[in-house]
Amino acid sequence: MTNIQIKPMSHRGSDFERKEVLSSIASGGFSAAGWNKNCPTGMQNKHIKWMGVGFMALLLGCSSYQPALAERPIPFGPERKQLTREYLQEHYGLPGEEATIEPRMIVLHWTAIPSLEGSYEAFRPERLPNARGDIQGGGALNVSAHYLIDRDGTIYHLMPDTVMARHTIGLNHCAIGIENVGGTAETPLTKEQFRANKWLVRELSGKYPIEYLIGHYEYTLFDGHPLWLEQDSGYRTEKTDPGEAFMAEMRKALGDLNFKPLPENQ
């Protein structure tokens, strides 16, 4: 697969660079059709919203801070699409004909992998690697996320916001996933990542009716909540990402968005 990539655009970049990126997206170069053309295993579904259109909305957001942004789609061919449909049916009882979601939640993660390439490679295969024995029982669909943020704050768009990604048990049918490179003792999340997450959550919240912002470690609080659709009572994992301190600071920084409070333990 040849990765489709936009030159990272910094808020310090020239007006020409900004116009060049927007022109590339507006011309259709980063639409779902463009994805198919550049990636033989790309999604073949005319009903899926264009990645380029959604990403252009993010690029056009008014803010004094402009992170570096790039499209880097993971393969989403017939096999991954079918596995996604099966996941929606088996775990949530949803038909999942189009493998799409209606975002109402954003979940922040860390990859616990120190490099961008290693993190991307974890999501690239369509089928779950044998090494992921902890979630093997949950199906053959590989894990993924909609966005991946590098340690320098660059935001990579991996898949359309309204296509289901496997990243949070029980909530994938309504959640946009944002992964952050690192999260180990040697590679803690950076201030650049914090700033990029804050910007991205704000932009996505202006685009979709987002009700909740959670850290991955908080997902089990929704067990019993109307949004919780997991049908396998034994399918749970313990998570710590992206850290309690990170989430506390993020909620403080985004308090004006008035997300709903987390459910109490059921």
Side-chain angles (χ1 to χ4, degrees), residues 4-8 55 68-72 154-158:
I4 304 172
Q5 207 165 4
I6 300 175
K7 176 182 177 182
F55 211 53
L69 301 161
E71 297 274 12
R72 191 174 182 182
T154 301
I155 300 172
Y156 293 90
H157 196 197
L158 305 185

Side-chain angles (χ1 to χ4, degrees), residues 153-172:
T154 301
I155 300 172
Y156 293 90
H157 196 197
L158 305 185
M159 57 191 297
D161 302 344
T162 55
V163 173
M164 197 208 86
R166 180 182 181 181
H167 61 94
T168 304
I169 293 171
L171 300 166
N172 293 311

Side-chain angles (χ1 to χ4, degrees), residues 76 80 86 98 187 206:
F76 204 110
R80 195 173 211 144
E86 292 173 2
E98 304 300 339
T187 57

Side-chain angles (χ1 to χ4, degrees), residues 190-209:
T190 66
K191 62 182 181 181
E192 290 81 10
Q193 285 174 306
F194 181 90
R195 198 176 188 190
N197 275 265
K198 182 175 70 171
W199 181 89
L200 183 55
V201 169
R202 190 175 291 281
E203 294 295 320
L204 291 171
S205 296
K207 184 179 177 185
Y208 304 105

Side-chain angles (χ1 to χ4, degrees), residues 40-66:
T41 59
M43 185 182 303
Q44 304 292 328
N45 187 341
K46 66 180 181 180
H47 298 294
I48 302 300
K49 290 185 178 180
W50 285 10
M51 288 181 71
V53 172
F55 211 53
M56 181 166 64
L58 296 184
L59 286 168
L60 289 171
C62 296
S63 173
S64 59
Y65 165 69
Q66 175 65 65

Side-chain angles (χ1 to χ4, degrees), residues 110 189 215 217 240-248:
W110 63 38
L189 300 188
Y217 70 93
T240 60
D241 57 316
E244 293 184 16
F246 188 89
M247 286 307 302

Side-chain angles (χ1 to χ4, degrees), residues 104-105 170-171 173-174 211-212 222 224-230:
R104 296 175 62 185
M105 173 185 295
L171 300 166
H173 67 95
C174 65
E211 300 174 21
Y212 296 96
F222 284 83
H225 185 277
L227 288 179
W228 181 268
L229 296 185
E230 182 57 57

